[in-house]
Amino acid sequence: MTIGSFFMKASRALTTHPFSSNFLLLCTISGGGVVALSESQSEPERPIVEDNEPRKKKVLVLGTGWAATSFLKGLDASLYDVQVVSPRNYFAFTPLLPSVTCGTVEARSIVEPVRNIIKKRKGEIKFWEAECVKIDAAGKKVFCRSNIENLVGSGEFSLDYDFLVVSVGAQVNTFNTPGVKENCHFLKDVEDAQKIRLSVIDCLEKAVLPSLSEEEQRSNLHFVIVGGGPTGVEFAAELHDFIQEDLIKLYPTVKDKVKITLIQSGDHILNMFDERISLFAEQKFTRDGIEVQTGCRVLSVNDKEITMKVKSTGAICSMPHGLIIWSTGISTLPVIKNFMEEIGQTKRHVLATDEWLRVNGCEDVFAIGDCSSIKQRKVMDDILDIFKAADKNNSGTLTVEEFKEVMDDIILRYPQVEYYLQKKHILDLRVLWNDAEGNERKEIDIEGFKLALSVADSQVKTLPATAQVAAQQGAYLASCFNRNDQCEEHPEGPRRFTESGHHRFRPFRYKHFGQFAPLGGEQAAAELPGDWVSIGHSTQWLWYSVYASKQVSWRTRYLVVSDWTRRFVFGRDSSRV
């Protein structure tokens, strides 16, 4: 019998005997190898089983920034049909963008592909690289357009949703200053940092050309930073270190011609930090030769000069520049502006949400990150309903026990009350119960109740547009989505004062873990919880450890630490690549 006829007979035999057709082991005559072949044709037909499982609700996420990534990492994707739309297919660790501008850290070291992040989640998450151009809240639909070049077709599509999570971030605020968009660099994305890095090298290369006069060389080597916030200050420090530690050695003829100017409209740089940090930063920059001009407002920018007005004197002056970095805050994206007009929020600068991060006026739309702001409800708006809910016997007054019982829900529902108690170091709530002379009352009426809580509303604050806030909002919202069914049956939130029952979840509470300001020369400043201020070399090493630990993956953590080590050993790379 030939080998071919043997295989044919064996195949017919296995086809007629399904139980032996799972795997066919063939021993090759020449090599002695073993090959496993699956015989799928012999499987018996499986009965059709109807899928009685309920349809998973669609959760559509717009964006891949801090808030969106934190939400996706915390969300149990097996509970929902999750879809993500973003014009960028990666997450960027934005606090290190100033380091990218000078080659301290490479761009690829601070980015993590979105598909790497979502593939590790439980359940399937779909991703489309496209830009959201319109949100239709009434029709629960989002219209998108792909930004991929040379795409066949228009690349336009729409997606339905049951829940929409808006986390598209914001854009740079130019305050409609003439010439800013055409002549300034921004520092908002990785692409911006890469362009700045090339432009810095270009300025040095131009300045050493023999055809330029000394005045033209000084103009090309004048680096101007507009905005004295953390981003502007950190870039100024990084640029100074880059020039002094690396570029001066490569371009020795420009040593005395390089100039860095930091322009701030306020009275101090880093004015959101403790005053001690602001003063230290200004003094250090002065010692380093970085010129700090406070109280100045930029009027216009062209390709050669920047014109500004000194607020104190009203004088208008101009100065030449080789490179301008514009870092003066953020503004709302056009798609969000159009959405705000649709839902009646035209008088606001960003999307207004409630304390549960739900967009006001949209039951199934949530907004997190820089594109939104929590509109905290005031205690005085609900004071009559609160008093009525606390007055169980309808006596018109509250006893100490009734006051204490309702205060637990008040503190949970209105965070400004807790901030007020902490600020005044009030540990015993009976202090609020006392009269003007400090005597303890037996009962309190509505006017006394108002008086006890009226001051708390002064503690209502808008959260800053920082990565720390966005990340906490994303994690909170993911936790709410994961426990939605559980908390519907067993609400964990505070009492509803304007109606019966309890809120499903506890309101979002931001917990501040501190903030850093690298100042160059291996020195940094930190404002930490408990009014603790740390400045110096040890703080810089604390900054290294915190930023390394906060990386989104072990891959980026390794790359960032490797870049720092490379910079210490070999210096920064100045090649124009």
Side-chain angles (χ1 to χ4, degrees):
M1 180 185 297
T2 64
I3 295 177
S5 59
F6 168 76
F7 283 151
M8 293 178 62
K9 291 184 178 181
S11 177
R12 286 195 298 268
L14 290 174
T15 303
T16 55
H17 297 82
F19 65 89
S20 62
S21 63
N22 289 335
F23 291 97
L24 174 63
L25 298 181
L26 302 178
C27 299
T28 59
I29 303 300
S30 59
V34 179
V35 181
L37 297 179
S38 175
E39 188 62 59
S40 59
Q41 294 89 338
S42 60
E43 291 183 359
E45 293 186 1
R46 296 179 181 178
I48 299 176
V49 180
E50 294 184 2
D51 186 6
N52 294 322
E53 293 184 4
R55 181 185 69 85
K56 292 181 180 180
K57 291 190 174 182
K58 294 181 180 179
V59 177
L60 179 58
V61 182
L62 302 180
T64 52
W66 279 93
T69 300
S70 180
F71 174 77
L72 293 172
K73 291 183 69 176
L75 180 68
D76 184 355
S78 64
L79 302 176
Y80 301 94
D81 178 7
V82 186
Q83 302 170 349
V84 184
V85 175
S86 174
R88 296 177 183 83
N89 68 346
Y90 59 83
F91 163 80
F93 191 85
T94 51
L96 285 178
L97 284 179
S99 298
V100 175
T101 62
C102 299
T104 305
V105 172
E106 292 298 325
R108 288 193 175 274
S109 299
I110 67 167
V111 300
E112 182 73 11
V114 172
R115 297 185 185 278
N116 280 0
I117 297 173
I118 63 178
K119 76 178 182 180
K120 301 175 183 177
R121 300 300 98 203
K122 183 165 58 173
E124 182 184 4
I125 299 178
K126 301 173 184 176
F127 172 76
W128 290 279
E129 184 178 345
E131 181 180 7
C132 172
V133 294
K134 180 178 173 56
I135 300 173
D136 179 11
K140 286 193 172 185
K141 185 173 293 188
V142 167
F143 297 90
C144 306
R145 181 176 58 243
S146 175
N147 59 356
I148 301 175
E149 296 181 359
N150 301 322
L151 185 69
V152 178
S154 63
E156 297 181 354
F157 59 93
S158 63
L159 297 171
D160 299 325
Y161 66 83
D162 294 304
F163 298 109
L164 177 65
V165 179
V166 182
S167 179
V168 295
Q171 62 183 356
V172 177
N173 193 351
T174 64
F175 299 98
N176 296 320
T177 306
V180 170
K181 290 184 178 180
E182 297 82 7
N183 302 292
C184 294
H185 286 273
F186 302 134
L187 189 49
K188 197 78 174 62
D189 302 312
V190 174
E191 293 86 352
D192 297 333
Q194 292 174 313
K195 291 177 182 177
I196 292 173
R197 181 175 179 179
L198 296 178
S199 296
V200 169
I201 302 301
D202 283 347
C203 289
L204 271 295
E205 293 292 351
K206 289 178 184 177
V208 297
L209 291 176
S211 59
L212 267 64
S213 64
E214 183 174 344
E215 183 180 355
E216 291 173 326
Q217 289 178 339
R218 292 185 181 276
S219 297
N220 272 301
L221 295 174
H222 187 196
F223 302 97
V224 180
I225 300 101
V226 181
T231 301
V233 168
E234 186 172 349
F235 172 73
E238 282 279 356
L239 181 60
H240 175 267
D241 287 353
F242 187 28
I243 292 171
Q244 297 299 321
E245 296 174 7
D246 300 281
L247 297 182
I248 291 299
K249 301 175 184 177
L250 303 175
Y251 304 88
T253 59
V254 303
K255 180 178 181 181
D256 300 323
K257 300 173 184 177
V258 177
K259 183 180 179 181
I260 301 174
T261 300
L262 180 62
I263 300 174
Q264 166 71 342
S265 61
D267 296 331
H268 296 281
I269 62 174
L270 298 178
N271 50 20
M272 70 291 299
F273 281 76
D274 187 276
E275 185 179 355
R276 290 168 289 179
I277 294 178
S278 297
L279 293 176
F280 178 84
E282 291 174 0
Q283 293 169 1
K284 184 181 185 305
F285 277 9
T286 301
R287 292 194 303 268
D288 291 342
I290 300 175
E291 183 178 350
V292 178
Q293 296 190 9
T294 57
C296 297
R297 182 170 65 90
V298 177
L299 300 179
S300 63
V301 180
N302 59 38
D303 59 343
K304 294 182 179 180
E305 290 184 334
I306 177 171
T307 304
M308 57 188 180
K309 180 179 180 180
V310 181
K311 293 182 178 180
S312 59
T313 63
I316 296 177
C317 56
S318 299
M319 64 174 71
H321 67 82
L323 177 69
I324 297 182
I325 307 298
W326 188 273
S327 177
T328 59
I330 57 176
S331 65
T332 309
L333 288 167
V335 63
I336 299 299
K337 290 181 181 179
N338 295 336
F339 179 51
M340 292 168 65
E341 291 179 1
E342 178 186 342
I343 61 176
Q345 293 191 18
T346 54
K347 296 183 179 181
R348 292 184 55 84
H349 296 294
V350 291
L351 272 172
T353 72
D354 60 17
E355 297 85 345
W356 292 269
L357 307 182
R358 181 182 286 107
V359 174
N360 292 340
C362 299
E363 183 68 22
D364 300 317
V365 181
F366 301 83
I368 51 180
D370 295 351
C371 66
S372 65
S373 177
I374 297 174
K375 188 178 181 181
Q376 177 61 51
R377 191 168 179 84
K378 295 183 178 180
V379 182
M380 289 299 106
D381 293 340
D382 303 324
I383 193 68
L384 295 178
D385 293 313
I386 296 173
F387 187 87
K388 184 178 180 181
D391 185 15
K392 295 182 179 179
N393 56 6
N394 297 321
S395 63
T397 59
L398 299 183
T399 63
V400 176
E401 289 74 18
E402 289 174 331
F403 180 76
K404 286 184 176 180
E405 184 179 349
V406 77
M407 279 301 295
D408 291 337
D409 287 303
I410 290 175
I411 291 174
L412 198 59
R413 176 65 180 83
Y414 307 93
Q416 62 266 35
V417 176
E418 183 178 10
Y419 297 152
Y420 173 74
L421 296 176
Q422 291 175 351
K423 186 176 181 179
K424 296 296 182 181
H425 304 289
I426 298 176
L427 301 179
D428 190 349
L429 294 177
R430 286 180 296 182
V431 174
L432 298 176
W433 180 264
N434 298 340
D435 59 21
E437 288 75 25
N439 301 318
E440 186 174 344
R441 309 176 188 181
K442 292 183 179 180
E443 292 181 339
I444 190 172
D445 59 10
I446 181 62
E447 295 302 323
F449 191 59
K450 287 181 180 179
L451 184 63
L453 296 174
S454 60
V455 186
D457 282 336
S458 64
Q459 302 301 312
V460 174
K461 296 180 180 179
T462 302
L463 295 178
T466 63
Q468 191 174 166
V469 172
Q472 290 187 31
Q473 288 180 339
Y476 164 83
L477 190 59
S479 175
C480 293
F481 270 73
N482 293 342
R483 297 177 294 110
N484 188 45
D485 294 339
Q486 173 188 342
C487 291
E488 185 175 8
E489 297 180 3
H490 306 286
E492 64 178 20
R495 189 191 320 182
R496 294 179 183 269
F497 294 115
T498 57
E499 53 187 285
S500 61
H502 285 70
H503 291 281
R504 186 178 300 184
F505 305 104
R506 291 171 175 259
F508 170 74
R509 288 290 179 88
Y510 169 63
K511 186 174 182 181
H512 186 60
F513 292 105
Q515 51 188 346
F516 288 93
L519 302 174
E522 292 304 312
Q523 294 191 64
E527 188 177 75
L528 304 174
D531 296 328
W532 179 32
V533 171
S534 176
I535 302 172
H537 295 284
S538 59
T539 310
Q540 178 69 26
W541 286 101
L542 178 62
W543 178 85
Y544 283 134
S545 62
V546 170
Y547 275 34
S549 65
K550 292 298 181 180
Q551 295 299 313
V552 72
S553 69
W554 279 102
R555 169 189 162 274
T556 56
R557 188 173 294 120
Y558 169 78
L559 291 175
V560 166
V561 173
S562 299
D563 287 344
W564 286 334
T565 305
R566 170 189 51 77
R567 196 268 293 179
F568 276 114
V569 177
F570 302 106
R572 301 170 181 84
D573 183 14
S574 62
S575 58
R576 197 184 184 281
V577 178

